Amino acid sequence: NAGVTQTPKFQVLKTGQSMTLQCAQDMNHNSMYWYRQDPGMGLRLIYYSASEGTTDKGEVPNGYNVSRLNKREFSLRLESAAPSQTSVYFCASKPGQDSYEQYFGPGTRLTVT
Amino acid sequence: QKEVEQNSGPLSVPEGAIASLNCTYSDRGSQSFFWYRQYSGKSPELIMFIYSNGDKEDGRFTAQLNKASQYVSLLIRDSQPSDSATYLCAQRVNYQLIWGAGTKLIIKP
């Protein structure tokens, strides 16, 4: 039981390049989340998926897109990377919207030069 | 704007002492609060949640919620060097979590 997995662990992009961050969970959870974490700031919600087939914007969605591919997988795409998107990205999941605990993946450290 | 505020620290506490971490919030609408621990370079993990006014104890950890004053606290008794980490406070609002920036705790042997 791997929990929440994320790939890649590290990535360096040049401004304007695109990439997709992958997230998968094997806990049969309905809800999935993408956060970014910057130094001195709390986790900020980018997008979330309350259940398979639905996605919604969070606090900071600009410059990102998401796909809930199936119940297990939730990907985050940067279409044209900018230095302001340099951050650590965490994927999380929980059984349902009413559930208390979110389970986090190990994170992806992204640098945009 | 809904906000959750924490002192960034670092908070330095001697081993064996009580560490007290505080968090204030602006939105009175939701009263569910969470404390997560995050070791350097790792992902957050849930320590406790609280939604009733008063204290909730779990082992060496006690969460305290004071709705009238709009603050939440986490007490760690008998602090150990392994408790050194950043502690994140979060408030659930409309099924989402609003996060504080975290307090860095250092336990000195």
Side-chain angles (χ1 to χ4, degrees), chain A residues 33 35 37 40-45 48 59 90 94 97-102 104-107 109, chain B residues 1 32 34 36 38 41-46 49 51 88 92 94-102:
Chain A
Y33 304 81
Y35 292 96
Q37 186 175 38
M41 301 186 72
L43 291 159
R44 291 184 291 169
L45 183 64
Y48 67 99
E59 181 186 354
F90 287 104
K94 63 179 184 176
Q97 286 211 100
D98 286 342
S99 306
Y100 282 111
E101 183 170 2
Q102 290 190 12
F104 284 82
R109 188 173 295 274
Chain B
Q1 175 149 351
S32 298
F34 302 79
Y36 279 75
Q38 185 175 25
K42 302 295 185 183
S43 55
E45 53 182 346
L46 182 67
F49 66 86
Y51 51 83
L88 305 171
R92 188 164 81 167
N94 296 329
Y95 300 114
Q96 310 310 326
L97 292 181
I98 307 299
W99 297 82

